[in-house]
Amino acid sequence: MTEDGGVPLMGTDGGPAFMSASGRWSINVTVHGIGQPARRLDDGEDQIWISVEQFEALLDAAVGRPDVTVTFDDGNLSDLEIGLPRLMDRGLKARFYIPAGLLGEPGRLDAWGVRELHRAGMVIGSHGWAHRDWRSLDWGPGGATEVEEEMVQARRHLEQLTGSDVTEVAVPFGSYDRHVVRSLRRTGVTRMYTSDGGWARTGAWLQARTSIRADDGPDWPQRVMVDRPGLGRRSRDRIAAVAKRFRG
Ligand SMILES: [Zn+2]
């Protein structure tokens, strides 16, 4: 028995997985930029820009862990130039959430780069159109064009590039409320990734993620991917996520 009364299981490829009363638990990690930035960073963006060493330690810890999902946000060029070869070396698959409206800007992926990731077997998802904060969109009739661009056009554009359905979304800045959730549900999104931290229920529509940050030390993979928080902590994380989901 685990601390929450569940039975430990083996994952599909022999890695550890856990079963609790409500199902299996997964951990989702988020990478933004890696190595030397190829563009001028936005305010505060340096705090989530990690070194190649940090990235490699994260990937090494994810090998043999089917319960760990590695995700990339923001469509930075380092996804392709640093991320992809190191994922391939380790036989790992990852999920890339790309702001379609920023493709081809300096330091970002272009259409070719997105196709390369997709051809290599990576999952391509949407990170909206222009990396706007979705909570500050005008959800009334006046904002319909912008909402359509963020929720629908962004996905359609990536679908045209890859020739595949794009049904997953990672919320820019992890900023969401009931308008965002309702719109994503209504437009047929199959999975919504947040930045709420903590463990997520495997297969759930809403998936919390934990971002790796520039000042995270070498113990980060152990702390985030191995040390399981107690049931109390997980309940608090989930209550916080439910509150966000329904705020208006
Ligand atoms: Zn982002």
Side-chain angles (χ1 to χ4, degrees):
M1 296 277 276
T2 59
E3 88 275 25
D4 60 345
V7 182
L9 300 175
M10 293 304 279
T12 47
D13 72 355
F18 298 90
M19 181 71 88
S20 72
S22 50
R24 284 170 189 257
W25 293 94
S26 314
I27 191 85
N28 304 307
V29 299
T30 313
V31 175
H32 293 87
I34 316 160
Q36 192 63 39
R39 60 179 170 83
R40 245 193 83 188
L41 299 183
D42 294 335
D43 272 355
E45 213 180 351
D46 58 321
Q47 292 165 22
I48 47 170
W49 205 279
I50 62 171
S51 68
V52 175
E53 293 71 29
Q54 282 179 292
F55 178 65
E56 289 181 340
L58 182 165
L59 291 191
D60 288 340
V63 171
R65 290 287 304 270
D67 59 328
V68 172
T69 297
V70 180
T71 72
F72 293 75
D73 279 8
D74 298 348
N76 287 304
L77 205 48
S78 59
D79 291 4
L80 182 71
E81 294 185 341
I82 301 174
L84 182 62
R86 286 163 179 79
L87 287 161
M88 306 270 289
D89 282 349
R90 291 164 178 79
L92 292 171
K93 294 278 195 274
R95 309 176 106 74
F96 292 79
Y97 298 95
I98 293 164
L102 304 186
L103 287 176
E105 291 200 353
R108 309 259 182 192
L109 296 170
D110 59 12
W112 176 84
V114 174
R115 285 195 204 99
E116 284 298 297
L117 291 170
H118 182 252
R119 257 199 292 273
M122 305 294 150
V123 172
I124 302 299
S126 174
H127 197 46
W129 184 261
H131 211 243
R132 298 181 178 108
D133 180 337
W134 287 350
R135 284 193 77 199
S136 58
L137 294 177
D138 174 0
W139 289 94
T145 307
E146 211 169 69
V147 166
E148 173 80 4
E149 193 172 65
E150 291 291 326
M151 302 289 145
V152 179
Q153 296 307 326
R155 282 173 55 202
R156 293 294 100 84
H157 189 73
L158 295 170
E159 286 175 344
Q160 280 161 15
L161 289 184
T162 59
S164 293
D165 289 345
V166 170
T167 65
E168 297 188 358
V169 162
V171 178
F173 311 103
S175 176
Y176 67 97
D177 58 17
R178 66 189 164 86
H179 298 289
V180 173
V181 170
R182 192 189 299 149
S183 175
L184 293 177
R185 287 241 188 233
R186 193 166 45 206
T187 52
V189 166
T190 58
R191 187 155 297 179
M192 166 181 163
Y193 284 95
T194 71
S195 305
D196 293 332
W199 291 70
R201 244 188 311 171
T202 306
W205 186 79
L206 192 149
Q207 290 283 315
R209 300 183 299 172
T210 302
S211 291
I212 182 167
R213 303 173 63 85
D215 60 2
D216 285 321
D219 65 328
W220 188 86
Q222 170 76 27
R223 199 155 42 76
V224 172
M225 296 185 193
V226 183
D227 299 337
R228 303 182 73 235
L231 188 60
R233 166 69 202 282
R234 287 206 302 276
S235 300
R236 282 195 299 280
D237 288 347
R238 285 170 69 193
I239 289 163
V242 167
K244 284 188 186 180
R245 194 169 176 168
F246 292 109
R247 70 189 169 187

